[in-house]
Amino acid sequence: GHELLLSATLYESKNKDYAIDVNMNFTKNTQKLESLYPGLKDYVLTSGFSGFQIKAEEGQAFGLYGTAYLRDSATGKYIINPGTGLRQQAPSPKRFGDIFPKWNMGVGADIYIKGLTVSVLFDIRKGGVMYSGTTSGLRTSGLAAETAINRDGSIIDDGVLLNQDGSTRPNDVPVRNMEDFWRNNYQTSITEASVFDASFIKLRQLAVSYALPSKFFENSKTIKGFAFGISGRNLALLKSNVPHVDPESNVFGTSLIGEGYEFYNSPSSRSIGFNFNLKF
């Protein structure tokens, strides 16, 4: 693992009434399983009824495995069932990627304007994959926003059909209706349908505070200062590849394998607080 912390003062006035400080924290951890018990190629750390698994495999980081779509090796497109127009399922499970990120970074700034202080912190995660059971449930039940598109129509999926000689041709078989498209292609038994890149950018924290000038308390025998402020945490998800849920959500909590699997988790909370500070 590697960690880098940088901080700097971009600007500071001579009387120090105005200043801008910035900081950045970067972490990168590389994980690889060196060996398992003799005779074991891999070991299932946890699994779900959807066919999803988190496994430890020699020479790899902990990874997310599960059922996948059957794809054309030449084009990577879905192989379509000629009778229904739906995607076919591959016979063997697939590794979708590492559950842990390639790197994490926090970027923050503190701005001072006389007695006013504004602090902001952004969190960035790059890489890693996760499975979202909530997204699967929303899509297969028709509750996700994307399922409203062309709801009363049909669709010809972007895939290929297999010819008898093993070659392929563009798919021209329509799915009977959009309910069949979402209910069958995105069901929980097909892990790949709900696997996403877990990268994100978040506005993690914003705080604003103000301290009254000391001249207000020159004649006070008890109170020497007063400050008040407001702060918020988990305020906004600015960028994410996971629809409908927080990419930090997980079923298993903060355990060793606490990443990679979300299934009907409670929504992440946003907190806002107020503070008052009296100096005596």
Side-chain angles (χ1 to χ4, degrees):
H2 303 276
E3 184 169 356
L4 177 66
L5 176 63
L6 298 175
S7 59
T9 298
L10 298 184
Y11 173 78
E12 186 177 70
S13 62
K14 290 183 179 180
N15 58 8
K16 297 186 178 182
D17 282 345
Y18 303 91
I20 301 175
D21 295 336
V22 295
N23 59 81
M24 185 271 287
N25 182 279
F26 177 88
T27 58
K28 178 179 175 63
N29 292 296
T30 302
Q31 181 197 63
K32 184 174 75 171
L33 178 67
E34 293 184 352
S35 63
L36 285 168
Y37 189 81
L40 281 180
K41 180 184 176 182
D42 54 50
Y43 180 77
V44 177
L45 299 168
T46 191
S47 61
F49 67 86
S50 60
F52 148 95
Q53 293 180 325
I54 291 177
K55 292 200 297 186
E57 185 177 4
E58 287 190 0
Q60 302 272 13
F62 292 170
L64 192 156
Y65 297 73
T67 52
Y69 297 123
L70 188 63
R71 294 179 181 268
D72 175 33
S73 59
T75 62
K77 291 188 175 183
Y78 308 116
I79 295 179
I80 303 299
N81 184 319
T84 63
L86 298 169
R87 302 168 192 174
Q88 296 192 53
Q89 185 173 323
S92 303
K94 177 182 177 180
R95 187 182 197 276
F96 297 106
D98 300 345
I99 63 171
F100 297 120
K102 293 181 179 178
W103 51 262
N104 288 289
M105 183 164 65
V107 179
D110 297 307
I111 302 171
Y112 306 96
I113 306 173
K114 291 190 174 181
L116 179 68
T117 302
V118 179
S119 299
V120 62
L121 175 64
F122 297 92
D123 267 357
I124 304 169
R125 167 180 166 140
K126 176 63 176 178
V129 296
M130 68 172 290
Y131 173 86
S132 173
T134 300
T135 299
S136 174
L138 291 172
R139 287 176 169 176
T140 55
S141 60
L143 297 176
E146 56 268 28
T147 64
I149 300 173
N150 194 33
R151 175 164 287 194
D152 296 326
S154 184
I155 188 174
I156 296 177
D157 208 350
D158 185 21
V160 297
L161 298 170
L162 286 177
N163 298 317
Q164 290 184 349
D165 60 1
S167 61
T168 61
R169 66 184 189 277
N171 175 41
D172 58 2
V173 179
V175 180
R176 184 179 61 176
N177 53 54
M178 294 306 295
E179 181 180 356
D180 279 0
F181 175 81
W182 289 107
R183 188 180 297 277
N184 291 279
N185 286 335
Y186 292 88
Q187 58 189 296
T188 56
S189 60
I190 302 178
T191 310
E192 182 179 351
S194 302
V195 172
F196 304 97
D197 175 4
S199 303
F200 65 78
I201 301 175
K202 282 188 173 186
L203 174 56
R204 181 68 73 186
Q205 185 167 303
L206 178 65
V208 180
S209 63
Y210 181 72
L212 293 177
S214 58
K215 65 181 181 180
F216 281 80
F217 309 99
E218 289 177 351
N219 299 322
S220 174
K221 296 181 180 180
T222 55
I223 300 176
K224 304 300 181 182
F226 176 69
F228 59 92
I230 181 173
S231 63
R233 188 164 179 81
N234 290 329
L235 293 177
L237 180 59
L238 303 178
K239 183 178 180 180
S240 172
N241 302 301
V242 186
H244 312 302
V245 299
D246 184 348
E248 286 188 294
S249 299
N250 67 81
V251 168
F252 303 113
T254 57
S255 64
L256 179 64
I257 50 171
E259 299 188 44
Y261 188 53
E262 178 277 331
F263 204 94
Y264 296 141
N265 286 65
S266 298
S268 301
S269 61
R270 178 187 295 120
S271 60
I272 298 176
F274 301 88
N275 60 81
F276 300 90
N277 189 314
L278 279 172
K279 293 182 179 180
F280 297 95

